[in-house]
Amino acid sequence: MNRAGRILALVLLVAAAFALSLVAGKQWLPWDSPAASAIFVELRLPRAALGALLGAMLGLSGAVLQGFLRNPLADPGVLGVSSSGALGAVFVILYVGASGLALFAGAMAGALVALLVLMALTWRGADAVAFILAGTVLSSLTGALTAFLIAIAPNPYAVAGVLDWLMGALTDRGLADLARAAPFLVASIVLLAFTGRALDALSLGEAAARSLGIRVDRLQWLVMVGTGAGVGAGVAATGVIGFVGLVVPHLLRPLFGHRPSDLLLPSALGGAALVLVADSLCRLAPGAAEVRLGVAMALIGAPFFLMLLLRRRGQAWI
């Protein structure tokens, strides 16, 4: 099957996963039931749309970061934006006691602060090592601050809500959540989609990329803003959902090749399909409550990450 055929197969997979997300659950939703229209419009359709956009953004940002950093283990979480967004949301939940728009604003504010700090730490140059180190430091710091806020929380009952939110889920997400997150997710996808040519040149090395007319510093800012806006909105809307950006490019690279530009569209489609299918399986899992999507993705992604590490170590021994 050629590239066009594989792309078409991914599109059909996303369509099938979207349809499954609309009907799957503890109670299956019949297509021809008038009584199900309210559930369909207010819950299932926004949840599926949010899951598709979030998955597309995470898959695409993972492929872009792996191309930009020239590191197959790179993931959107490397920027520290997700942990910073989580810090903002936790502060709102514990110390403001609000949800909805206030929670979204708090998480986006945390993501924005992370972006500003990251830009301040890396503005002198586009060094990939400095980029990774800055993101790692930021992620560690905000993670520690989140744990500190939870430890000194004045209301112990609110801590349970914080932990539940941090696990990440699409549960009970409606039209309001979709309306708040969709503009940022779409903007992120659009920005990152224009990085393909520059990433191809960068795969030859920074010196070669500059000789081809690529402004590496501009590319770095585009990657930071595109990934930061999307990841921040995703965390604000659903909580922390990881590993999508790591897993999807690796699964699709044998089918679409190693050139970064060839992997961007497939990774977006693959990310959307993965999140939609995983969310449907979370609803179908036995038990009274739904399994959290963030937990399910960690159960999938952690062994996958370990497998990649072992494979790279095995290659190093040869």
Side-chain angles (χ1 to χ4, degrees):
M1 185 183 296
N2 59 19
R3 174 182 168 79
R6 295 190 181 104
I7 292 290
L8 178 59
L10 279 177
V11 171
L12 295 176
L13 177 61
V14 172
F18 194 89
L20 176 65
S21 180
L22 292 177
V23 299
K26 300 296 182 184
Q27 295 294 327
W28 286 77
L29 190 66
W31 290 103
D32 57 350
S33 171
S37 59
I39 298 175
F40 178 85
V41 172
E42 296 179 14
L43 293 176
R44 295 288 178 88
L45 185 59
R47 179 173 181 166
L50 182 58
L53 285 175
L54 176 64
M57 183 278 300
L58 290 174
L60 176 59
S61 61
V64 168
L65 283 171
Q66 289 176 17
F68 176 72
L69 299 174
R70 284 152 288 168
N71 185 343
L73 301 182
D75 178 83
V78 74
L79 293 181
V81 176
S82 57
S83 58
S84 300
L87 174 62
V90 167
F91 178 82
V92 170
I93 295 172
L94 292 178
Y95 298 96
V96 180
S99 59
L101 182 58
L103 176 60
F104 187 89
M108 286 302 296
L112 176 61
V113 170
L115 273 178
L116 294 175
V117 172
L118 197 60
M119 289 176 179
L121 292 174
T122 59
W123 72 275
R124 289 178 178 270
D127 182 70
V129 175
F131 190 75
I132 295 174
L133 289 176
T136 301
V137 169
L138 188 59
S139 181
S140 299
L141 176 60
T142 52
L145 289 174
T146 300
F148 177 73
L149 290 181
I150 293 174
I152 64 171
N155 182 3
Y157 297 102
V159 174
V162 167
L163 296 178
D164 183 65
W165 182 85
L166 284 175
M167 286 189 287
L170 291 169
T171 307
D172 299 328
R173 300 307 189 267
L175 287 170
D177 301 287
L178 177 63
R180 285 190 288 264
F184 296 97
L185 294 174
V186 171
S188 171
I189 291 170
V190 171
L191 286 174
L192 295 176
F194 285 101
T195 62
R197 174 178 171 272
L199 293 174
D200 286 347
L202 190 62
S203 65
L204 303 175
E206 291 186 14
R210 289 191 175 93
S211 70
L212 293 172
I214 301 300
R215 291 184 55 186
V216 182
D217 56 342
R218 179 179 177 274
L219 174 63
Q220 177 171 299
W221 280 64
L222 189 62
V223 171
M224 282 195 296
V225 173
T227 304
V231 172
V235 170
T238 66
V240 180
I241 297 174
F243 290 104
V244 178
L246 172 68
V247 171
V248 171
H250 278 281
L251 291 178
L252 296 176
R253 198 167 277 119
L255 297 174
F256 292 93
H258 292 262
R259 193 167 69 174
S261 62
D262 289 341
L263 201 58
L264 298 189
L265 177 58
S267 293
L269 294 172
L274 177 61
V275 169
L276 287 170
V277 171
D279 183 53
S280 297
L281 293 178
C282 287
R283 281 179 271 173
L284 296 173
E290 289 185 15
V291 176
R292 293 303 182 193
L293 179 59
V295 175
M297 289 310 308
L299 290 174
I300 296 171
F304 189 88
F305 187 76
L306 178 61
M307 180 190 71
L308 291 177
L309 288 176
L310 293 176
R311 179 182 297 175
R312 286 173 64 85
R313 175 175 291 185
Q315 292 173 349
W317 283 345
I318 296 176

